[in-house]
């Protein structure tokens, strides 16, 4: 069995995520509690009485704290992936799992990234739309034509038949209309707070570049597949530079999954609330076994099933 662990990005967060792990696992608690933040992580992640969890500056550290906790549980149980990757924000969790960041560092960087992205989005009338059943080239042409109204780009290559465009709302709406004319089955507007993974996030990239200058990056212990590449990095690639590029460039998740298939991965564990990545795996690598993990019960069930295969 060759295992990869994929870490979810923001979007599926909900109050209570991670609470069962926190109550039952000292390893999870140690990782989750390691960061110093300017808000009550437990209150927002487990209860969210003030409705903050869906604001990106809170979402990002909460999601990464959850993921780092689950990684600690996996390590305690002897689970050693051959590869790791993450969707957007999930890349920070993947880098923590690979030893590049400590849990404390990853959570605090996620908090910084969330604030930088929220700041970059201020004053922009933005939009993101999922486009179903239209190929990359056709959708890129639609975006190019609509760009006369503002910034619009393909920001997520999720899986076969599912792309996401983002940018300034007028341009995104025009590109979606053109996509329907070009044969897209559906165009679904998404609820977002910023034009993520477009050039409009360049100020967030600049802020991250300054922050990374004072950060220590550990040696990668497990190969990471990077969002903006859709594959592993080469020696000439710098992790800080890739993360700066990542925040303002497309996420190549389909390419990442296909690369995992080329590398011989036959089992994937999705860490995070929901099962969006498992859906992408099913459409991209239908022969690969994928389990989603949000609770201790789900983790135990996945590990038990895999042990029975061995």
């Amino acid at each position: 069995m060759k295992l990869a662990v994929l870490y979810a990005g923001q979007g599926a967060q909900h109050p209570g995520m991670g609470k069962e792990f926190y109550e039952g696992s000292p390893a999870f608690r140690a990782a989750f509690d390691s960061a110093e933040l300017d808000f009550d992580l437990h209150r927002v992640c487990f209860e969210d009485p003030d409705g903050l969890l869906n604001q990106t500056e809170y979402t990002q550290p909460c999601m990464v704290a959850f993921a780092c906790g689950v990684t600690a549980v996996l390590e305690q149980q002897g689970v050693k992936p051959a590869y790791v990757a993450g969707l957007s924000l999930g890349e920070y969790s993947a880098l923590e799992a690979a030893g590049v960041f400590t849990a404390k560092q990853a959570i605090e960087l996620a908090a910084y990234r969330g604030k930088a992205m929220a700041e970059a989005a201020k004053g922009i009338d933005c939009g993101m739309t999922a486009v179903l059943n239209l190929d990359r080239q056709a959708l890129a042409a639609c975006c190019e034509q609509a760009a006369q109204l503002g910034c619009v780009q393909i920001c997520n290559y999720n899986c076969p038949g599912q792309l996401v465009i983002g940018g300034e709302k007028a341009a995104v709406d025009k590109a979606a209309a053109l996509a329907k004319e070009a044969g897209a089955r559906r165009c679904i507007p998404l609820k977002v707070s910023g034009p993520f993974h477009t050039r409009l996030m360049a100020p967030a990239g600049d802020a991250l570049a300054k922050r990374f200058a004072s950060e220590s990056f550990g040696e990668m212990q497990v190969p990471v597949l990077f969002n903006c590449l859709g594959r592993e990095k080469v020696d000439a690639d710098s992790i800080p530079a890739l993360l700066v590029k990542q925040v303002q460039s497309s996420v190549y998740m389909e390419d990442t999954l296909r690369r995992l298939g080329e590398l011989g991965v036959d089992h994937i564990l999705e860490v995070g609330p929901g099962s969006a990545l498992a859906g992408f795996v099913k459409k991209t690598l239908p022969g690969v076994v994928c389990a989603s993990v949000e609770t201790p019960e789900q983790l135990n069930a996945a590990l038990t099933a895999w042990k029975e295969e061995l």
Side-chain angles (χ1 to χ4, degrees):
M1 181 174 78
K2 185 174 280 191
L3 172 69
V5 176
L6 298 181
Y7 293 90
Q10 63 187 82
Q13 66 276 355
H14 63 82
M17 63 181 190
K19 190 172 183 180
E20 288 182 66
F21 273 116
Y22 190 90
E23 292 174 346
S25 170
F28 183 98
R29 286 197 297 275
F32 190 92
D33 289 339
S34 62
E36 297 178 20
L37 302 173
D38 59 2
F39 68 95
D40 187 334
L41 184 64
H42 305 83
R43 179 180 171 86
V44 175
C45 197
F46 299 155
E47 302 168 17
D48 195 31
D50 306 310
L52 299 176
L53 184 57
N54 289 329
Q55 297 179 29
T56 192
E57 56 264 50
Y58 296 96
T59 308
Q60 297 200 26
C62 286
M63 288 286 289
V64 172
F66 169 85
C68 290
V70 175
T71 295
V73 175
L74 292 173
E75 291 174 351
Q76 188 178 56
Q77 297 201 23
V79 177
K80 297 180 180 179
Y83 301 95
V84 293
L87 176 67
S88 185
L89 169 68
E91 191 159 279
Y92 285 71
S93 302
L95 288 165
E96 189 271 338
V100 175
F101 296 139
T102 64
K104 170 182 169 63
Q105 193 178 17
I107 298 165
E108 291 176 359
L109 283 173
Y112 183 87
R113 180 180 185 265
K115 289 178 181 178
M117 291 173 70
E119 183 65 27
K122 281 184 178 178
I124 299 175
D125 185 14
C126 64
M128 290 180 77
T129 294
V131 179
L132 306 185
N133 287 22
L134 190 66
D135 67 45
R136 298 181 179 193
Q137 291 74 20
L139 185 55
C142 294
C143 290
E144 185 176 355
Q145 187 175 343
Q148 60 186 325
L149 297 179
C151 172
V152 57
Q153 300 170 234
I154 301 176
C155 47
N156 288 73
Y157 296 83
N158 286 335
C159 63
Q162 186 183 129
L163 304 170
V164 179
I165 56 175
E168 294 170 278
K169 189 175 187 304
V172 171
D173 290 346
K174 177 64 174 178
L178 292 170
K180 287 181 181 178
E181 293 175 9
R185 181 165 60 85
R186 291 181 68 193
C187 294
I188 307 169
L190 306 176
K191 292 182 179 180
V192 296
S193 57
F196 302 138
H197 295 289
T198 71
R199 60 179 173 81
L200 297 173
M201 285 287 107
D206 293 341
L208 284 168
K210 292 180 182 177
R211 175 65 182 258
F212 292 152
S214 62
E215 290 289 332
S216 175
F217 287 70
E219 290 294 322
M220 194 184 304
Q221 304 301 313
V222 179
V224 178
L225 278 69
F226 287 84
N227 283 187
C228 61
L229 301 175
R231 55 167 172 78
E232 315 94 305
K233 78 179 192 70
V234 296
D235 289 343
D237 293 320
S238 152
I239 292 177
L242 290 174
L243 291 176
V244 169
K245 182 179 180 181
Q246 184 239 43
V247 78
Q248 55 196 302
S249 303
S250 304
V251 174
Y252 290 94
M253 182 51 59
E254 180 183 343
D255 303 70
T256 295
L257 294 175
R258 293 194 185 283
R259 178 59 181 155
L260 289 174
E262 292 172 358
L263 292 166
V265 167
D266 50 19
H267 286 71
I268 290 176
L269 193 68
E270 174 187 6
V271 173
S275 56
L277 296 184
F280 299 163
V281 171
K282 185 176 181 180
K283 291 180 179 179
T284 310
L285 298 173
V288 171
V289 177
C290 184
S292 301
V293 171
E294 181 181 350
T295 66
E297 291 76 16
Q298 289 175 327
L299 176 58
N300 291 335
L303 296 182
T304 298
W306 294 347
K307 287 176 183 176
E308 290 176 355
E309 291 184 33
L310 297 176

